[in-house]
Amino acid sequence: MLLKYLLPLLTLLLAGCATAPTSTIPARKVLPFVEALVTQRAVLTAMGREFMLTGYLATSATGGKRLVVTENLGSVLADVLVKSDGSTFVMRSSRALKPEWIRRFVTADLQCLFGDASGADCHATQLSPSHFVIKNRRYKLDLQIVDTKPGVQPPEMFDETLKGRP
């Protein structure tokens, strides 16, 4: 009896819908400014649960990218610095996000949207100029840019020796 309903449902899920697919974004084309402070809101769906996140991304032509991810109540979940040469420094981590997860997933998503990730590594879809969805086998990240302030960022934001102090 269950198989009678499961097979058509599985066929429908595998076939997808007839709407046109949204475009996959070219990396490095998201921000119109090389140097800026970008505020983002995101919903992370993992293991059947949703988490509301806020991201603060500082970009610099010479220093790289610094991303601080906070949860709803303001606690820092991840603080990562990606230098212009591609080297990654976990400045601060939380119990919820281990340093190796930050290096593997947070940095990959950061490079996918705002960096030098290749198309094969970047599973992002652009829904609007400021709205992106990254789908991974383990999670889905629905990210919206809510504010962009162009301008030079303080050089200490990109100094890996100042751990824990954004």
Side-chain angles (χ1 to χ4, degrees), residues 105-158:
F105 300 111
V106 175
T107 302
D109 293 346
L110 173 63
Q111 290 294 83
C112 176
L113 290 178
F114 305 104
D116 301 325
S118 68
D121 297 333
C122 186
H123 304 287
T125 303
Q126 184 172 12
L127 302 178
S128 77
S130 61
H131 189 185
F132 310 90
V133 175
I134 296 176
K135 289 185 180 178
N136 186 310
R137 289 183 320 151
R138 295 182 173 101
Y139 63 90
K140 174 182 157 188
L141 182 69
D142 187 329
L143 183 133
Q144 292 193 41
I145 297 173
V146 294
D147 188 32
T148 302
K149 295 179 182 166
V152 178
Q153 301 302 306
E156 48 276 354
M157 288 286 292
F158 307 100

Side-chain angles (χ1 to χ4, degrees), residues 49-78:
R49 297 181 60 197
E50 289 186 346
F51 304 93
M52 303 299 290
L53 306 173
T54 302
Y56 303 97
L57 173 65
T59 61
S60 168
T62 57
K65 295 171 273 311
R66 175 89 178 259
L67 176 66
V68 177
V69 179
T70 64
E71 64 179 338
N72 230 6
L73 299 175
S75 298
V76 174
L77 294 174

Side-chain angles (χ1 to χ4, degrees), residues 31-50:
L31 293 177
F33 309 105
V34 175
E35 297 187 338
L37 179 63
V38 181
T39 305
Q40 311 154 7
R41 301 274 189 262
V43 177
L44 174 66
T45 306
M47 297 181 294
R49 297 181 60 197
E50 289 186 346

Side-chain angles (χ1 to χ4, degrees), residues 88-105:
T88 302
F89 301 91
V90 175
M91 306 298 276
R92 191 172 6 170
S93 63
S94 67
R95 290 175 34 186
L97 288 177
K98 299 175 183 176
E100 57 267 16
W101 294 352
I102 294 169
R103 277 187 208 90
R104 184 169 180 191
F105 300 111

